[in-house]
Amino acid sequence: MTHSHDDHAPIQASEEVSEFEILETAIRELSIEHGLFSREDHRRFSEWAESVGPSGGSRLVAKAWVDPEFKKRLLADGTETCKEVGIDWRDPTGSGTPSDYTYFYVLENTPKVHNVIVCTLCSCYPRPVLGMSPDWYRTPNYRRRLVRWPREVIAEFGLHFPSDVEVRVHDSNQKSRFMVMPMRPEGTEGWSEEQLASIITRDTMIGVAVPQVDWTATTPPSDNGGAAR
């Protein structure tokens, strides 16, 4: 099978304005014009949404790593179990939003199965637990290629798996959101939930990275004073 150069362009953020951004702008301006909300409402919501970040997801995974019963509940019903850490997907005045009225699934990685998430239609993403999606997640390049060549795409992020590890791609939709529960790395025995949460970064919960004991979202590998130590 041959693939075009465009099909194998590296995953990266695009500076081009997408059709979805054009549509969002048009709908937003019409909504403001018709009085559904004001520009101030939109500004305040945007600031709130951008402040959420992936800490909610990190707390969920860290707690699941140390509490087997919590882990069972989280895998069985992610939407309901999120409430135990203060995240309510159905409450637009809390950490959910009207567009996030959906069912939330947590996908457990194992030595033989690696999960990764995408939204091939647009950019559906588990915002209440991971915050705003990264730019590259929304690019047609990532969305189109991940479902066709998942191993090749995640290799561009530095992940390489032997042939006996199954790579499963989960495609988000209007009513379903997914998050990956990465495997707990060796060398973290005896760590607190707070220490564990520090190495569970956004990309590990998307599925394009795995947790490293010497790397956090705020402390790069070259810094020997790693926060989790």
Side-chain angles (χ1 to χ4, degrees), residues 21-35:
E21 291 173 307
I22 295 172
L23 180 60
E24 184 276 330
T25 299
I27 293 175
R28 181 201 333 143
E29 292 302 312
L30 281 171
S31 298
I32 292 172
E33 180 180 336
H34 287 276

Side-chain angles (χ1 to χ4, degrees), residues 37-203:
F37 53 81
S38 67
R39 293 190 188 281
E40 176 66 9
D41 292 334
H42 181 266
R43 182 192 64 77
R44 292 176 63 185
F45 177 80
S46 297
E47 287 187 2
W48 169 81
E50 291 170 0
S51 72
V52 173
S55 62
S58 299
R59 296 199 317 272
L60 287 170
V61 174
K63 187 172 180 62
W65 280 353
V66 301
D67 185 340
E69 291 305 314
F70 178 82
K71 177 180 176 179
K72 289 181 183 178
R73 295 194 298 275
L74 184 62
L75 294 175
D77 190 338
T79 312
E80 187 65 24
T81 308
C82 274
K83 295 178 181 179
E84 297 184 32
V85 296
I87 299 171
D88 189 346
W89 283 74
R90 297 186 176 93
D91 181 6
T93 63
S95 50
T97 68
S99 62
D100 288 321
Y101 287 156
T102 121
Y103 196 81
F104 174 56
Y105 299 87
V106 177
L107 314 162
E108 182 183 14
N109 282 352
T110 72
K112 293 299 181 181
V113 175
H114 181 84
N115 298 284
V116 60
I117 66 173
V118 68
C119 177
T120 55
L121 178 63
C122 51
S123 58
C124 295
Y125 188 74
R127 289 179 294 177
V129 293
L130 296 188
M132 300 297 287
S133 59
D135 289 343
W136 55 260
Y137 181 89
R138 301 189 294 271
T139 62
N141 187 2
Y142 177 79
R143 290 165 22 221
R144 180 183 68 241
R145 294 175 56 226
L146 185 69
V147 293
R148 301 176 69 185
W149 306 296
R151 290 180 181 273
E152 289 85 345
V153 171
I154 62 177
E156 293 172 14
F157 290 90
L159 284 187
H160 303 271
F161 295 101
S163 59
D164 63 342
V165 174
E166 178 185 358
V167 177
R168 294 179 182 173
V169 178
H170 302 265
D171 190 3
S172 305
N173 57 52
Q174 182 183 14
K175 293 299 180 182
S176 299
R177 299 290 189 275
F178 303 98
M179 185 191 83
V180 175
M181 180 189 298
M183 290 190 294
R184 180 174 178 172
E186 295 182 2
T188 60
E189 298 78 10
W191 283 22
S192 67
E193 284 187 35
E194 182 179 0
Q195 287 176 304
L196 292 170
S198 72
I199 63 170
I200 304 165
T201 63
R202 177 200 66 196
D203 286 4

